[in-house]
Amino acid sequence: MKDAMRDTTHDTECWRYHDDCARVLVVKLPIKTVSEKNSREHWGTRSRRTAKQRSYTLACLLATGWARPALPLVITLTRIGGRELDSDNLARALSGVRDGIADKPPGPTTKPGRKPAARPSWVKVDDGSPLIEWRYAQIVGPPAAVLIEIRGPR
């Protein structure tokens, strides 16, 4: 089964299909990623860019209307950009997208009388969990984008 959708609000492309082994969701986001490790910029600029990537990724995944697959997951993040990055720069450039996918809702607060801020999440598991295997790839060429492939069990 293959199901495709184009979200004009977020300018994303989404595909969902079953292959022989797993259920797969593919989302292409028009996000330009940069080598965070080598960029010489103010920390606030870097922080704002990462926060935008994180929230945009989460908003696009929630906008698909598709429920997340059951755990465990294999998630491949493919950066499409102008030049190739080495492996540690690639992982760092995609960290905002990774956090947007695997934002875990905040736990109980330590301050009495205060509620934790409600934060929506899609996978609802910490990105360091052994239930998610992260893979990285890259394609050199325009236009800049990030391709997310999420594989769940059959």
Side-chain angles (χ1 to χ4, degrees):
M1 174 187 109
K2 188 168 187 176
D3 185 14
M5 178 180 113
R6 180 161 181 81
D7 180 4
T8 55
T9 308
H10 296 100
D11 196 28
T12 61
E13 297 178 33
C14 308
W15 305 272
R16 179 177 58 177
Y17 63 91
H18 295 264
D19 66 7
D20 293 338
C21 304
R23 295 187 332 189
V24 182
L25 171 64
V26 179
V27 180
K28 184 177 181 183
L29 305 176
I31 293 176
K32 181 180 179 186
T33 56
V34 297
S35 175
E36 300 274 339
K37 203 170 177 189
N38 293 334
S39 64
R40 305 288 185 247
E41 61 189 358
H42 190 269
W43 64 266
T45 304
R46 186 177 307 142
S47 177
R48 281 188 295 278
R49 180 176 50 248
T50 301
K52 283 180 185 177
Q53 289 176 351
R54 183 181 199 160
S55 62
Y56 184 76
T57 301
L58 178 59
C60 291
L61 288 172
L62 292 173
T64 63
W66 298 332
R68 73 168 169 89
L71 297 172
L73 298 173
V74 176
I75 301 175
T76 303
L77 301 177
T78 303
R79 174 188 178 266
I80 304 170
R83 64 180 180 90
E84 196 167 320
L85 303 178
D86 60 10
S87 60
D88 57 336
N89 278 330
L90 178 61
R92 180 65 187 104
L94 294 169
S95 67
V97 175
R98 177 177 167 152
D99 290 341
I101 296 168
D103 258 344
K104 185 174 181 182
T109 182
T110 56
K111 295 184 180 181
R114 296 192 80 187
K115 291 183 181 178
R119 187 170 66 206
S121 93
W122 196 69
V123 173
K124 298 181 180 164
V125 175
D126 183 51
D127 64 347
S129 170
L131 296 173
I132 302 176
E133 178 184 341
W134 295 95
R135 297 179 183 171
Y136 296 93
Q138 56 188 324
I139 299 170
V140 176
V146 175
L147 193 65
I148 304 168
E149 180 182 272
I150 302 170
R151 293 182 164 270
R154 190 143 181 98

